[in-house]
Amino acid sequence: MTEVSVTNKDFYTQLHKSNPGYGTSSSYLMDVILPLAADLKPARILDYGCGKSSLVEELAAQLGCASHRYDPCIPEYNTPPEGAFDLVLNTDVLEHVPEAELDAVLADIRTKSEHVIFHIPTLYATALLADGSNAHCTVHSSVWWQEKLAQHFPYVEVLRSINNDQQFYVTWDVSAEARQNLKMVYRQRRRAHSVAKRKHILRMLRMRLLRGHVPKYELQNDIAGKSIAVVGNAQSLCAKDYGPEIDQHDIVIRINRGAIPHIKSHGQKLSWVATSLDIPKSFVYSQQAQRVIWTPAERSFSLPHWLAKHSDIVYLLKTAELKRYHARTEKKPSTGFRLLCLLEELGGYKQIDIYGFDFFASPTNTNHIEPEKARSDHDYDRENHEIQKWMARDPRVSLKS
């Protein structure tokens, strides 16, 4: 990305221009990066792929050193940096580089420093590029990324990040003192999370007593006479061209984080989200998601605290409903199966087309779980059997292969 270039650079330049908030969020990683950077006592730090974030300036101010920024997609920072650096930051960058061009980019980073802090998300983004592809074009597990980095750096260690969907990688053996300081950071995070969780439970209790959530009859009114597309996360959908067809439906329901690898296969319309995971806030704050179906009836207090404030769009799956759905399968029903059972009970729809459900014949775009582990948690064969029976009973329902 200095002497080398990536083919999709212009798309990211467009995205930065059109979205003022894009590329501004790396500062939320400061508490973890600070003890790691301090371990090196750097005099010069380079933020390689800095976006619009002020992370490196904040870090340099804390450490009393010089900061440098480079990003080929930002005009004011696209001059290739000269010389070597004591530390390079590379946060939320490599997932944007086409896989075929990763080695050239990593080789270039290696010429800047042998000490690098990488931070790499391992799932698809909510942002789409101008060509309809996902802003995260290289999506792999943390194990894959560690092996890729190890092809360019003799030492690569994986460290925890904010959650399991993103990881830190360092290219030197961090000192015992820095590791101890890092433990303190994680301990502070756990304390803050514990306090927030207790407040959240109290908030949920108040909401149930005073306001409640969306009643079932409102969902029935929403879907009455409507055509519905239910879009699952099977990777096999990526090979299809169902996108335009999906978007033609009155209501498009996406599962969990609603990953859209490309609009040609997945479409881009979003009406409802059925999830057991913390969904991107942009779904709600952009008013894309008109309904959020929270499916973990067995742990309803796990509803994300920020989402609990939006009780006017959230439907909490009931324990009695979950018991009925569980009775139809040998193991815990998956999120997608819970949604389909709910839709069948609601009735009144004009048509339901189901996409991206292959019952783990292919991996999922939601996470990097191994098929064997997924099948130990859910009985996908039984779920498939139940959906086939539903289609036999109701010709308005189809499973798109």
Side-chain angles (χ1 to χ4, degrees):
M1 291 166 77
T2 53
E3 295 80 5
V4 298
S5 183
V6 293
T7 56
N8 58 358
K9 185 187 78 170
D10 291 342
F11 290 132
Y12 289 102
T13 300
Q14 285 180 265
L15 187 57
H16 276 289
K17 286 181 179 179
S18 63
N19 186 346
Y22 188 76
T24 63
S25 61
S26 292
S27 293
Y28 78 105
L29 304 172
M30 172 64 80
D31 61 339
V32 174
I33 289 177
L34 180 58
L36 294 173
D39 188 47
L40 297 172
K41 300 178 176 58
R44 300 180 77 218
I45 303 178
L46 170 66
D47 192 345
Y48 191 112
C50 61
K52 305 186 192 84
S53 174
S54 59
L55 172 66
V56 71
E57 283 94 342
E58 296 170 18
L59 183 63
Q62 294 260 18
L63 298 178
C65 60
S67 64
H68 301 265
R69 301 176 71 172
Y70 171 66
D71 196 308
C73 303
I74 308 289
E76 57 265 43
Y77 305 128
N78 65 4
T79 301
E82 296 182 358
F85 297 84
D86 302 299
L87 172 65
V88 169
L89 306 179
N90 187 256
T91 59
D92 301 354
V93 173
L94 294 184
E95 68 277 10
H96 301 289
V97 178
E99 189 170 331
E101 300 169 29
L102 269 175
D103 287 316
V105 172
L106 286 168
D108 188 51
I109 293 174
R110 182 65 181 83
T111 65
K112 306 305 175 189
S113 181
E114 62 182 6
H115 301 125
V116 185
I117 300 174
F118 294 99
H119 184 264
I120 309 174
T122 58
L123 296 179
Y124 286 105
T126 57
L128 299 174
L129 300 180
D131 67 343
S133 64
N134 196 277
H136 289 181
C137 62
T138 301
V139 176
H140 288 289
S141 68
S142 61
V143 173
W144 187 94
W145 279 110
Q146 185 176 20
E147 292 173 352
K148 172 57 69 175
L149 297 177
Q151 295 172 12
H152 295 267
F153 295 87
Y155 182 94
V156 178
E157 182 178 354
V158 185
L159 301 175
R160 285 185 296 170
S161 182
I162 306 297
N163 56 52
N164 293 330
D165 303 331
Q166 46 192 269
Q167 302 294 338
F168 281 102
Y169 307 78
V170 293
T171 63
W172 76 96
D173 188 5
V174 178
S175 70
E177 179 182 1
R179 291 178 189 276
Q180 188 60 37
N181 291 336
L182 200 56
K183 283 182 180 179
M184 292 175 61
V185 170
Y186 291 135
R187 195 175 300 127
Q188 290 168 355
R189 284 188 176 185
R190 286 195 298 272
R191 282 200 208 100
H193 177 73
S194 178
V195 171
K197 187 175 181 179
R198 287 195 291 272
K199 290 180 179 179
H200 174 54
I201 290 174
L202 290 173
R203 186 185 301 114
M204 287 287 290
L205 286 170
R206 286 197 300 270
M207 289 178 68
R208 288 185 170 189
L209 289 171
L210 300 176
R211 289 191 294 171
H213 291 80
V214 173
K216 197 167 187 174
Y217 71 82
E218 287 194 14
L219 300 185
Q220 292 173 317
N221 292 338
D222 288 344
I223 70 171
K226 301 291 179 60
S227 63
I228 302 171
V230 177
V231 185
N233 291 301
Q235 287 186 11
S236 57
L237 181 58
C238 296
K240 309 294 183 180
D241 292 319
Y242 282 132
E245 179 181 313
I246 288 171
D247 285 346
Q248 286 177 0
H249 289 75
D250 299 318
I251 296 174
V252 177
I253 308 176
R254 300 189 185 272
I255 308 298
N256 287 327
R257 295 189 179 93
I260 301 177
H262 202 290
I263 63 172
K264 70 179 182 181
S265 56
H266 286 66
Q268 57 184 326
K269 186 174 181 178
L270 172 65
S271 312
W272 293 16
V273 181
T275 185
S276 61
L277 305 172
D278 192 352
I279 61 173
K281 294 182 181 180
S282 60
F283 286 174
V284 173
Y285 294 148
S286 66
Q287 299 183 326
Q288 285 181 281
Q290 298 147 26
R291 297 290 184 208
V292 176
I293 311 299
W294 185 250
T295 63
E298 68 273 38
R299 49 185 180 89
S300 60
F301 284 117
S302 61
L303 180 72
H305 67 88
W306 70 269
L307 191 52
K309 300 174 183 177
H310 299 273
S311 60
D312 58 325
I313 68 169
V314 176
Y315 178 79
L316 295 175
L317 197 72
K318 309 301 185 293
T319 303
E321 292 169 333
L322 179 57
K323 285 181 179 178
R324 290 197 297 273
Y325 309 157
H326 204 312
R328 299 176 63 176
T329 181
E330 303 252 331
K331 298 179 181 178
K332 181 174 70 172
S334 66
T335 299
F337 187 70
R338 295 181 195 200
L339 168 69
L340 293 175
C341 289
L342 176 63
L343 290 174
E344 183 180 13
E345 287 188 351
L346 292 174
Y349 44 81
K350 176 183 178 182
Q351 172 188 351
I352 295 180
D353 295 314
I354 305 168
Y355 304 83
F357 278 66
D358 65 10
F359 308 96
F360 249 94
S362 67
T364 175
N365 288 319
T366 299
N367 53 41
H368 298 286
I369 189 172
E370 293 296 327
E372 295 77 12
K373 174 64 169 63
R375 289 185 173 277
S376 70
D377 293 336
H378 307 291
D379 189 344
Y380 289 105
D381 292 335
R382 184 61 178 269
E383 291 185 6
N384 185 12
H385 177 68
E386 287 294 314
I387 291 172
Q388 296 296 332
K389 286 168 57 179
W390 180 24
M391 291 191 295
R393 292 191 302 270
D394 189 345
R396 297 173 298 171
V397 180
S398 66
L399 181 62
K400 301 287 188 172
S401 59

